[in-house]
Amino acid sequence: MSLILTRRRLLTGLAVGAGGLVAGCDAIGNNGTARDTLFRGEDVHRALQRALTDRAALAREFRPEQMSPYFRTNGSRDPGTVDYAAYVSNGFADWRLQVDGLVAHPLSLSLSQLKAMPQRAQITRHDCVEGWSAIGKWQGPRLATVLDAAGLSSRARYIVFHCADRSGGVPYYESIDLIDAFHPQTILAWAMNDAPLQLGHGAPVRLRVERQLGYKHAKYVMRIEAVASLAGIGQGKGGFWEDRAAYDWYAGI
Ligand SMILES: Nc1nc2c(c(=O)[nH]1)N[C@H]1C(S)=C(S)[C@@H](COP(=O)(O)O)O[C@H]1N2
Ligand SMILES: [Mo]
């Protein structure tokens, strides 16, 4: 085998491996259709960046005095349904977070149960694709803790977040791979700036996935689903904006 072919196979294998898919380099290298399918909806350079970046590295954390005095809200600011108004009116006592899909033990977690889990707090910068940033403090259990409690199946490749809000009638959702799902800074935040999350920021619980842009940080999370494939969820591109506006599925910063 020539050196060039070896390098090409190595790169292809890396890119595929980072996508969370288990496949031999040969299987991919010899199968153009499979490779086209794998890269569909995602720019090849993005896939390579994802493969060659240290995905385990931490996002920068800031000091309390660096926190933004004002942190704007963006996108949905209230799911606006009768059901949601009822949750809000009794302080989310009846709200439950469903954890299901490819898990051994589906969970239905109350807000108090999430607050009773080991917590992580971090002061990070939120970067919106529209061009604004803000530094805030976030606290909640790691997503890893919740997924471990549910017993993630070895067939799971992506974690999908189904949200309570709709935009133009379409439910908001997002998804991440298992590298980000188990990243130490990926948390289910119920507190922001040392206070319960405000409705505009996604109360009672929103995702923080600190190595990615703002639209990946799903607010109003109702259900967390472990899946083997993103096909069949929404339009199949892994998120509300990915489906509707061709935003990158991997929005690494
Ligand atoms: N459920 C839901 N999550 C969402 C959105 C939304 O409209 N609905 N907007 C996204 C975008 S584009 C950004 S920048 C952040 C904004 O979070 P914030 O309102 O706390 O600033 O939430 C993200 N998560
Ligand atoms: Mo955003």
Side-chain angles (χ1 to χ4, degrees), residues 72-76 126 132 163 165 172 200-201 206 214 217 219:
R72 62 170 285 184
T73 56
N74 202 36
S76 297
H126 178 101
W132 59 272
C163 306
D165 59 311
Y172 199 96
H201 289 296
R206 66 101 51 85
H217 300 233
K219 306 196 282 189

